[in-house]
């Protein structure tokens, strides 16, 4: 059988390979029981992701070739449970951010948001009184509307996980949701947050409730008082997930902000990952510092990758970094580097113990390692164009893609969640991936995030997100940021391709 | 603040950059994964007999050692067997048997002393203390011991009231125990059930509300009914978090894991390592044979996994079923030596070739990977294998060695020399405390790719000595 080499296929305008969807034309077989042998299909290598896929007549067949294990077959509905101010929305947003980052399309649906859109003006806690018929009707409608949107997202819009963020404090309400899920073929996983510590609840209210649209026209005391009464409205009818009554449900009950967890009937891979993630996050105030190594020899030459040492300016940066860190006066700072010389040299200037992570190494540019962009354009113009077409998914020949990087970095993110104050000295592509996680950037934005040399980003979790302070340590360095050029066609001229290459020696 | 920047030098074996400070070069500052255990940790099992404590202890120890955390199990029952020479009956375990109680306590204390030895002299990082530990008093002894020595303690309690599971346990591991060598089945079962009853009288589960005078702030996981429910309290650090995650992913449902390599490849024939070549004619034949073999096995709901490399995917294609591609299953990256023959490596990189023979597990190819790196890369695969049931993994030589080492509890020294020939399927079936292995050669000839460790591993050896063990090729 003639085997088509990858280069045969790149003539003229070839449509970009479609991203395989779950509903492929390839019919899944249910096991290896007595199926007659079929002729092995030919393979072709997807030019963007460098993934081998079966093909017919030189064109790839729609095939579920995934970079890793398929996490979910049926979509999953995560349902939060808990009194107000127990961190449900915090957890929902964080979990959604994490799942999207690792590549599981996830969206949160906050019923309170639906209520605000419907009711327009919030008057007082009276709306939430259990005997307020009008209020109850509206709240039920909002929950239905939200569930409708969930159905749309999971069945038509390509979503895999939906997070249904509401109090869901009665068994009756939860039963409605379970029925809805069953009708639509969704798996349900409950996340309950239980907390009786008044300090924690108070801090919650201060951090996220006072700034809520509900309380724009109230002063602090009024707002707090009203909110406490609101919580009271839910307390009497609150039915916590019960070990016996709810023993057939899949859930995690988080108690006292993560000191204690009860985990029941984890059904599949995605639920297992969600449990692991939820058990590793915390809310202790801390800061994460991200920066790149000091300017390297290859940086100034405009060459990518490699394992070179610091330039004089790079060493200067390392010293300034030391001064900066000392001035920050951080208790118990952990310092992490990659295993490449330039990050380690940078860390050495801090005179503190540091951990080397191989997974923090810069993206592997494969055959393009240590090349200048001009040389890549010269030797591999097709590759250069493909990269501009989809920088996130593009994999260097014998190298990696940003998508691979994210997978590689997941244990780093998990450990960052566990830790408190950490300084991560890494590389441009790596820093972009980490930053995208903290700032909830999409796959499209991620590879173009600005992470210049000699600049420290200080990330401090606040409310539902992350505050970013950018500190330039005032040591000159070459610019290594290449913007997406206008023309990304394979047929473009060299000049067009090299338009956005930053200056170098 | 010191102005002098310590010069970095690259450790020639692992290719990690370490500051040159006299003899500090030998200190392992960098490894593929940060060392997360500072204080030694004691994992203390809790539970009635036949609740899976030893099963969990052994499995957890195997996992931790595989990921690079030096761990050892101390089974107090073993100490008791050594101390009493012969087991008579369950009467030994009666709570009113003062003489026996003395012996049992002494055994626990001896075991603790050995734990101390392991942490102090052998630089172990984790100990699994496998005993019933069913009374608050016994647990207090352990907690005090740990406190005195600065060890962290994490309890793992297994609670089960399903009589079927307990009966199965007894059948699988108790009947063949040295305690019951000279008994027939019914006698053994009857005696063991009475033994369990002895413990029930004084059993106080961890953190029982009834007895709470002062909250103990213990760190633990309670496993209910073989994993349908877990209660996790006060996880202190990274290693405890990893242990919890692992324990929550393992199961005891019977299943088999099939490991094999891709069919013989073009580069295999040429004696070249790495690369991304396709199957040779014989390799394609193997793929068909593999399909036939798997169909014969008649497995319901088999998952098939491959790497991202052409040769494993081509092999899977011949099966005619759905498969998942894992980048993590790609063959070890030989860096600058990719697609070379061993002869070429000896010629162009004789020192590297020698270093590799000196420590094949830790040796990292220049701009490539080491077996140690591979293990870290494969950890998510192992985790998912634990979650799954019947799986066929079509991978590569070095990768298969790593996976096999996990299932068969092989050391870092043995791992890189495990025999994983082409065209041979290994069927692994968990049984009792370990894994049964069936090796099935599918009768399609293939080149041998296994290079034994040569006798002379010195950098100054002759090329002939270096190439002595290179298998034949075109």
């Amino acid at each position: 059988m003639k085997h088509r080499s990858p280069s045969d296929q790149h003539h003229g305008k070839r449509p970009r390979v479609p991203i395989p969807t779950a509903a492929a034309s390839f019919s899944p077989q249910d096991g290896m029981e007595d199926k007659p042998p079929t002729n092995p299909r030919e393979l072709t290598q997807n030019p963007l992701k460098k993934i081998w896929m079966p093909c017919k007549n030189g064109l790839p067949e729609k095939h579920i070739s995934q970079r890793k294990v398929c996490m979910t077959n049926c979509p999953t509905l995560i349902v939060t449970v808990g009194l107000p101010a127990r961190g449900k929305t915090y957890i929902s947003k964080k979990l959604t951010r994490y799942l999207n980052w690792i590549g599981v399309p996830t969206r949160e649906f906050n019923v309170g948001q639906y209520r605000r859109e419907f009711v327009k003006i919030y008057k007082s806690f009276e709306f939430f009184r259990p005997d307020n018929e009008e209020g109850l009707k509206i709240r039920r409608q909002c929950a239905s509307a939200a569930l409708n949107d969930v159905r749309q997202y999971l069945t038509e819009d390509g979503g895999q996980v939906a997070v249904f963020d509401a109090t869901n404090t009665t068994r009756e309400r939860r039963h409605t949701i379970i029925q809805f899920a069953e009708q639509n073929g969704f798996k349900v996983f409950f996340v309950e947050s239980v907390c009786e510590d008044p300090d924690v609840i108070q801090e919650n209210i201060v951090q996220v409730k006072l700034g809520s649209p509900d309380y724009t026209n109230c002063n602090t005391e009024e707002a707090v008082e009203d909110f406490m009464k609101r919580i009271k409205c839910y307390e009497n009818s609150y039915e916590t997930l019960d070990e016996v009554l709810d023993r057939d449900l899949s859930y995690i009950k988080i108690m006292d902000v993560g000191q204690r967890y009860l985990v029941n009937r984890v059904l599949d891979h995605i639920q297992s990952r969600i449990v692991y993630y939820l058990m590793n996050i915390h809310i202790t105030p801390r800061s994460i510092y991200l920066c790149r190594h000091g300017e390297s020899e290859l940086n100034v030459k405009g060459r990518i990758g490699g394992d070179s040492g610091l330039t004089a300016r790079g060493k200067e940066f390392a010293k300034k970094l030391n001064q900066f860190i000392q001035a920050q006066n951080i208790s118990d700072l952990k310092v992490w580097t990659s295993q490449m010389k330039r990050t380690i040299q940078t860390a050495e200037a801090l005179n503190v113990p540091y951990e080397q992570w191989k997974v923090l190494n810069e993206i592997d540019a494969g055959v393009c390692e240590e090349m200048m962009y001009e040389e890549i354009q010269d030797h591999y113009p097709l590759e250069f164009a493909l990269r501009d077409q989809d920088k996130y998914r593009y994999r260097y020949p014998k190298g990696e893609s940003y998508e691979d990087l994210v997978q590689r970095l997941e244990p780093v993110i998990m450990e960052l969640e566990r830790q408190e104050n950490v300084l991560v000295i890494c590389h441009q592509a790596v820093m972009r991936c980490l930053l995208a996680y903290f700032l909830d950037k999409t796959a499209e934005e991620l590879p173009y995030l600005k992470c210049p040399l000699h600049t420290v980003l200080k990330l401090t979790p606040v409310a539902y997100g992350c505050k970013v302070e950018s500190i330039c340590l005032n040591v000159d360095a070459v610019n290594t940021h290449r913007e997406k050029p206008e023309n990304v066609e394979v047929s473009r001229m060299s000049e067009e391709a090299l338009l956005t290459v930053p200056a170098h020696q | 603040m010191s102005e002098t920047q310590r010069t970095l030098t690259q450790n020639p074996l692992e290719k990690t950059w370490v500051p040159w400070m006299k003899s500090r070069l030998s200190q392992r500052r960098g490894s593929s994964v940060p060392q997360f255990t500072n204080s030694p940790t004691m994992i203390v099992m809790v539970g009635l007999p036949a609740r899976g404590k030893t099963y969990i202890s052994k499995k957890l120890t195997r996992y931790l050692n595989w990921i690079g955390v030096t761990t050892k199990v101390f089974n107090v029952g073993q100490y008791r067997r050594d101390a009493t020479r012969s087991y008579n009956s369950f009467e030994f375990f009666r709570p009113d048997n003062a003489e026996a109680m003395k012996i049992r306590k002494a055994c626990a204390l001896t075991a603790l002393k050995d734990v101390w030895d392991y942490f102090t002299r052998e630089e172990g990082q984790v100990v699994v203390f496998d005993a019933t530990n069913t009374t608050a008093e016994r647990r207090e002894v352990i907690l005090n011991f740990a406190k005195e020595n600065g060890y962290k303690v994490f309890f793992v309690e297994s609670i089960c009231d399903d009589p079927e599971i307990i009966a199965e346990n007894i059948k699988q591991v108790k009947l063949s125990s040295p305690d019951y060598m000279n008994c027939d089945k019914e006698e053994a079962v009857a005696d063991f059930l009475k033994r369990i009853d002895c413990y029930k009288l004084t059993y106080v589960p961890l953190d029982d509300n009834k007895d709470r005078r002062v909250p103990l702030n213990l760190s633990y996981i309670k496993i209910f009914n073989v994993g349908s429910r877990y209660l996790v309290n006060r996880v202190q650090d990274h290693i405890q978090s990893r242990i919890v995650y692992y324990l929550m992913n393992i199961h005891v449902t019977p299943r088999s894991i099939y490991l094999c390599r891709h069919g013989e490849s073009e580069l295999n024939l040429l004696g070249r390592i790495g690369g991304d070549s396709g199957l040779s004619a014989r390799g394609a034949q193997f793929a068909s044979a593999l399909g036939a073999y798997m169909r014969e096995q008649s497995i319901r709901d088999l998952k098939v996994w491959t790497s991202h490399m052409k040769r494993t995917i081509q092999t899977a294609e011949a099966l005619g079923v759905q498969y998942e591609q894992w980048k993590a299953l790609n063959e070890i990256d030989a860096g600058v030596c990719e697609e070379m023959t061993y002869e070429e490596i000896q010629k162009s990189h004789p020192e590297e070739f020698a270093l590799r023979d000196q420590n094949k597990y830790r040796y990292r190819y220049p701009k490539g990977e080491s077996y140690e790196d591979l293990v870290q890369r494969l950890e998510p695969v192992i985790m998912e294998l634990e979650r799954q049931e019947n799986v066929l993994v079509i991978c590569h030589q070095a990768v298969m060695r790593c996976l096999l080492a996990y299932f068969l509890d092989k050391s870092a020294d043995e791992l890189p020399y495990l025999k994983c020939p082409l065209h041979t399927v290994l069927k692994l079936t968990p049984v009792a405390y370990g894994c049964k292995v069936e090796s099935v050669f599918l009768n399609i000839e293939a080149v041998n790719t296994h290079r034994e460790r040569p006798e002379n591993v010195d950098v100054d050896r002759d090329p002939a000595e270096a190439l002595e063990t290179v298998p034949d090729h075109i």
Side-chain angles (χ1 to χ4, degrees):
Chain A
M1 274 193 286
K2 176 164 180 269
H3 171 65
R4 287 193 105 201
S5 65
S7 57
D8 284 357
Q9 303 151 29
H10 305 154
H11 293 310
K13 299 181 190 58
R14 193 165 175 285
R16 273 182 53 203
V17 175
I19 311 286
T21 60
S25 56
F26 175 77
S27 54
Q29 317 238 354
D30 55 358
M32 298 231 44
E33 306 155 57
D34 250 7
K35 293 279 190 299
T38 50
N39 279 328
R41 299 176 291 186
E42 273 195 56
L43 294 181
T44 175
Q45 193 175 41
N46 166 317
L48 182 78
K49 293 174 79 163
K50 310 299 187 293
I51 293 189
W52 289 100
M53 297 164 44
C55 67
K56 230 181 197 167
N57 305 320
L59 288 174
E61 273 193 2
K62 276 205 185 139
H63 173 69
I64 306 173
S65 55
Q66 284 139 336
R67 64 186 160 83
K68 57 182 188 282
V69 163
C70 176
M71 304 246 225
T72 50
N73 301 322
C74 26
T76 302
L77 178 59
I78 298 174
V79 182
T80 62
V81 178
L83 293 172
R86 262 57 177 181
K88 299 184 299 301
T89 302
Y90 175 82
I91 289 170
S92 299
K93 286 182 183 277
K94 212 169 156 74
L95 188 55
T96 300
R97 177 161 58 87
Y98 168 71
L99 290 172
N100 278 313
W101 187 75
I102 61 173
V104 181
T106 306
R107 194 183 292 172
E108 30 136 8
F109 297 82
N110 178 288
V111 176
Q113 201 45 47
Y114 283 73
R115 188 261 306 157
R116 270 183 279 275
E117 275 160 29
F118 197 87
V119 174
K120 299 283 186 297
I121 300 178
Y122 174 78
K123 296 208 186 87
S124 80
F125 77 95
E126 306 263 1
F127 179 83
F128 292 97
R129 286 178 56 154
D131 55 0
N132 181 343
E133 285 298 331
E134 184 63 28
L136 283 172
K137 210 172 107 195
I138 294 173
R139 288 156 72 194
R140 240 176 267 129
Q141 278 175 343
C142 289
S144 286
L147 283 180
N148 246 326
D149 287 353
V150 163
R151 182 203 344 255
Q152 167 100 2
Y153 178 65
L154 294 179
T155 51
E156 289 165 49
D157 296 348
Q160 265 179 278
V161 177
V163 182
F164 190 70
D165 177 18
T167 48
N168 299 318
T169 40
T170 60
R171 196 155 279 120
E172 186 212 343
R173 168 59 57 86
R174 297 195 290 266
H175 184 70
T176 312
I177 298 170
I178 292 170
Q179 281 187 316
F180 161 82
E182 263 166 38
Q183 280 163 8
N184 289 287
F186 305 152
K187 284 184 182 170
V188 182
F189 189 75
F190 291 97
V191 177
E192 180 173 18
S193 174
V194 175
C195 179
E196 291 314 317
D197 184 338
D199 290 334
V200 174
I201 296 167
Q202 181 74 10
E203 181 61 24
N204 253 358
I205 297 177
V206 163
Q207 279 242 353
V208 296
K209 301 298 176 186
L210 298 183
S212 150
D214 290 345
Y215 295 112
T216 26
N217 299 316
C218 296
N219 70 36
T220 310
E221 280 98 39
E222 285 174 357
V224 172
E225 204 192 311
D226 183 270
F227 198 82
M228 296 300 248
K229 292 202 189 117
R230 203 155 118 180
I231 298 178
K232 271 248 146 0
C233 295
Y234 287 88
E235 272 175 7
N236 284 333
S237 56
Y238 182 18
E239 294 168 293
T240 184
L241 287 172
D242 184 78
E243 266 175 40
V244 177
L245 294 173
D246 298 308
R247 64 180 169 277
D248 289 330
L249 299 181
S250 295
Y251 65 84
I252 178 171
K253 187 189 278 211
I254 305 170
M255 295 169 271
D256 295 320
V257 205
Q259 266 191 33
R260 202 170 157 86
Y261 305 91
L262 185 61
V263 180
N264 200 60
R265 295 196 183 273
V266 170
L267 292 179
D268 60 16
H269 178 96
I270 192 70
Q271 291 182 14
S272 164
R273 292 286 288 273
I274 288 166
V275 164
Y276 185 42
Y277 182 72
L278 292 177
M279 286 176 49
N280 280 317
I281 61 181
H282 68 78
I283 54 169
T284 311
R286 48 80 171 253
S287 287
I288 294 169
Y289 299 80
L290 299 181
C291 72
R292 292 166 66 187
H293 51 83
E295 184 190 66
S296 74
E297 307 279 5
L298 286 179
N299 283 148
V300 293
K301 298 198 177 107
R303 295 183 174 283
I304 65 174
D307 194 15
S308 58
L310 300 180
T311 60
R313 297 196 298 196
K315 290 179 183 159
E316 185 60 35
F317 164 72
K319 285 198 203 134
K320 288 272 172 71
L321 181 63
N322 183 19
Q323 288 164 358
F324 169 72
I325 291 297
Q326 301 225 12
Q328 288 281 300
N329 224 351
I330 309 148
S331 71
D332 206 26
L333 176 74
K334 298 279 187 337
V335 178
W336 298 349
T337 69
S338 70
Q339 286 194 341
M340 295 181 144
K341 190 175 181 185
R342 50 199 187 277
T343 56
I344 298 167
Q345 268 184 307
T346 310
E348 278 287 316
L350 305 178
N351 266 314
V352 293
Y354 53 88
E355 296 281 2
Q356 297 185 15
W357 290 72
K358 185 174 193 277
V359 293
L360 281 173
N361 280 4
E362 182 58 314
I363 191 171
D364 183 357
V367 300
C368 299
E369 274 285 316
E370 300 199 40
M371 284 183 151
M372 296 187 287
Y373 288 122
E374 292 85 341
E375 289 168 351
I376 301 177
Q377 168 60 24
D378 213 15
H379 297 283
Y380 305 98
L382 167 70
E383 294 293 331
F384 205 40
L386 284 174
R387 186 157 208 254
D388 284 335
Q389 288 176 18
D390 191 345
K391 199 175 175 190
Y392 184 73
R393 288 179 191 79
Y394 171 80
R395 188 184 280 171
Y396 280 103
K398 302 194 179 176
E400 294 176 301
S401 62
Y402 272 93
E403 194 173 25
D404 294 328
L405 252 196
V406 161
Q407 246 221 309
R408 190 177 12 110
L409 287 168
E410 200 264 352
V412 175
I413 288 296
M414 196 63 86
E415 191 55 24
L416 276 172
E417 286 294 346
R418 290 198 52 80
Q419 292 287 346
E420 293 183 19
N421 295 312
V422 186
L423 164 65
V424 184
I425 305 172
C426 53
H427 305 267
Q428 184 166 247
V430 169
M431 187 164 160
R432 284 171 171 155
C433 292
L434 299 178
L435 196 59
Y437 166 75
F438 288 109
L439 302 186
D440 204 16
K441 298 296 183 183
T442 62
E444 281 61 50
E445 299 170 293
L446 186 161
Y448 295 101
L449 293 175
K450 283 208 169 65
C451 294
L453 287 165
H454 299 184
T455 306
V456 182
L457 291 185
K458 177 177 177 179
L459 306 166
T460 313
V462 75
Y464 293 137
C466 226
K467 180 175 86 165
V468 197
E469 285 168 64
S470 171
I471 304 121
C472 173
L473 292 191
N474 270 321
V475 178
D476 277 338
V478 69
N479 172 29
T480 57
H481 185 94
R482 180 177 166 266
E483 286 290 1
K484 186 182 192 195
E486 268 205 55
N487 191 345
V488 300
E489 295 299 320
V490 169
S491 52
R492 65 190 175 176
M493 310 278 285
S494 279
E495 294 79 52
E496 294 177 286
L498 298 173
L499 212 56
T500 54
V501 172
H504 58 84
Q505 274 172 11
Chain B
M1 183 189 71
S2 162
E3 282 292 328
T4 52
Q5 219 145 19
R6 297 179 291 184
T7 344
L8 289 182
T9 171
Q10 195 175 39
N11 167 320
L13 182 76
E14 294 151 319
K15 310 299 186 294
T16 46
W17 290 100
V18 284
W20 167 255
M21 267 177 92
K22 294 183 203 152
S23 59
R24 281 269 294 271
L25 237 197
S26 57
Q27 182 191 23
R28 290 199 48 204
R29 257 270 253 208
S31 63
S32 343
V33 133
Q35 307 301 300
F36 280 117
T37 48
N38 300 325
S39 10
T41 302
M42 277 187 77
I43 300 172
V44 181
M45 303 303 300
V46 179
L48 294 171
R51 263 60 178 176
K53 297 185 302 299
T54 301
Y55 174 83
I56 292 171
S57 299
K58 286 178 183 269
K59 209 170 157 74
L60 186 56
T61 300
R62 178 162 58 88
Y63 169 71
L64 290 173
N65 278 314
W66 187 75
I67 62 171
V69 179
T70 43
T71 308
K72 190 169 175 184
V73 184
F74 291 82
N75 176 290
V76 178
Q78 199 46 52
Y79 283 77
R80 186 261 305 157
R81 271 183 278 273
D82 292 340
T84 56
R85 228 140 289 159
S86 76
Y87 176 75
N88 287 326
S89 79
F90 77 93
E91 307 263 359
F92 182 86
F93 292 96
R94 288 176 54 155
D96 55 1
N97 184 341
E99 182 64 30
M101 280 302 213
K102 248 173 69 185
I103 297 174
R104 289 160 71 192
K105 178 134 194 224
C107 286
L109 291 177
T110 311
L112 285 179
K113 166 140 199 332
D114 287 350
V115 165
W116 183 89
D117 267 346
Y118 179 67
F119 279 144
T120 324
R121 280 190 255 250
E122 291 178 57
E123 296 193 342
Q125 287 168 284
V126 175
V127 151
V128 182
F129 195 71
D130 178 17
T132 48
N133 298 318
T134 40
T135 60
E137 183 226 340
R138 169 59 55 81
R139 296 193 290 261
E140 204 175 310
V141 167
I142 298 170
L143 284 166
N144 287 335
F145 163 82
K147 190 159 172 208
E148 275 165 41
N149 291 290
Y151 307 150
K152 286 184 179 171
V153 177
F154 187 75
F155 290 96
V156 177
E157 181 170 22
S158 174
I159 296 167
C160 180
D161 44 25
D162 182 336
E164 274 181 44
I165 297 177
I166 295 166
E168 182 61 25
N169 254 358
I170 296 177
K171 196 175 101 186
Q172 280 239 354
V173 296
K174 302 298 178 188
L175 298 184
S176 53
S177 150
D179 291 345
Y180 295 109
M181 262 190 324
N182 302 315
C183 295
D184 77 22
K185 230 168 67 164
E186 278 98 40
E187 280 177 6
V189 172
D191 184 271
F192 198 83
L193 289 173
K194 293 205 191 105
R195 201 155 118 181
I196 297 178
D197 284 338
C198 293
Y199 282 91
K200 276 190 181 166
L201 298 166
T202 52
Y203 180 22
V204 176
L206 273 177
D207 228 10
D208 211 21
N209 284 315
K210 306 174 199 158
D211 212 15
R212 196 116 64 119
R213 282 155 290 168
V214 168
L216 285 171
N217 290 338
L218 301 176
S219 295
Y220 61 82
I221 179 171
K222 283 187 192 239
I223 306 171
F224 296 90
N225 287 324
V226 206
S228 69
R229 194 163 92 245
Y230 305 91
L231 183 60
V232 180
N233 199 59
R234 290 187 182 268
V235 169
Q236 293 170 43
D237 60 15
H238 176 94
I239 196 69
Q240 291 180 16
S241 164
R242 293 285 288 276
I243 288 164
V244 164
Y245 185 43
Y246 182 72
L247 292 177
M248 287 176 48
N249 280 317
I250 61 182
H251 67 78
V252 292
T253 312
R255 49 82 172 254
S256 286
I257 295 170
Y258 298 80
L259 299 181
C260 72
R261 291 166 66 187
H262 52 83
E264 182 191 67
S265 75
E266 309 277 6
L267 286 180
N268 284 148
L269 280 175
L270 298 171
R272 295 185 173 280
I273 64 173
D276 194 16
S277 57
L279 299 180
S280 66
R282 299 193 298 194
Q285 278 183 295
F286 164 73
S288 305
L290 181 64
Y293 170 73
M294 295 310 295
R295 271 186 294 279
E296 254 174 64
Q297 293 284 302
S298 247
I299 306 147
R300 282 198 64 239
D301 209 24
L302 174 77
K303 298 275 184 346
V304 178
W305 296 352
T306 70
S307 69
H308 272 200
M309 295 179 145
K310 190 174 182 187
R311 50 200 188 276
T312 57
I313 298 168
Q314 274 183 307
T315 309
E317 277 286 317
L319 304 177
V321 295
Q322 250 190 341
Y323 54 88
E324 304 277 2
Q325 296 186 19
W326 289 71
K327 188 171 194 276
L329 283 172
N330 277 4
E331 182 57 314
I332 193 171
D333 183 357
V336 301
C337 298
E338 275 284 317
E339 299 198 41
M340 284 180 149
T341 60
Y342 289 122
E343 291 86 346
E344 287 167 357
I345 300 176
Q346 168 60 27
K347 192 134 188 260
S348 54
H349 302 86
E351 189 182 308
E352 294 291 330
F353 204 41
L355 283 174
R356 186 156 208 252
D357 285 334
Q358 288 174 19
N359 192 331
K360 199 174 174 191
Y361 184 73
R362 294 201 205 296
Y363 171 81
R364 188 185 280 172
Y365 280 104
K367 301 192 179 181
E369 294 177 302
S370 62
Y371 272 93
E372 191 173 26
D373 295 331
L374 252 196
V375 161
Q376 291 310 324
R377 189 172 20 105
L378 288 168
E379 200 264 352
V381 176
I382 287 296
M383 196 63 85
E384 191 55 23
L385 275 172
E386 286 295 346
R387 290 197 53 79
Q388 292 288 343
E389 293 183 20
N390 294 311
V391 187
L392 163 65
V393 185
I394 304 172
C395 54
H396 305 265
Q397 183 165 249
V399 169
M400 186 163 159
R401 285 171 171 155
C402 293
L403 299 178
L404 195 58
Y406 167 75
F407 288 107
L408 302 186
D409 203 16
K410 298 296 183 185
S411 67
D413 292 321
E414 301 169 288
L415 188 162
Y417 295 101
L418 292 175
K419 284 208 167 71
C420 295
L422 287 165
H423 300 184
T424 306
V425 182
L426 291 185
K427 177 178 178 180
L428 305 165
T429 312
V431 73
Y433 293 138
C435 224
K436 178 174 89 167
V437 196
E438 284 170 63
S439 172
V440 185
F441 173 58
L442 293 189
N443 264 320
I444 313 263
E445 290 304 313
V447 70
N448 172 30
T449 58
H450 186 94
R451 179 176 166 267
E452 286 291 1
R453 186 175 198 249
E455 269 207 53
N456 192 343
V457 300
D458 286 333
V459 169
D460 55 6
R461 62 192 177 175
D462 282 335
E465 295 178 289
L467 298 172
E468 216 166 28
T469 54
V470 172
D472 294 326
H473 57 87
I474 299 175

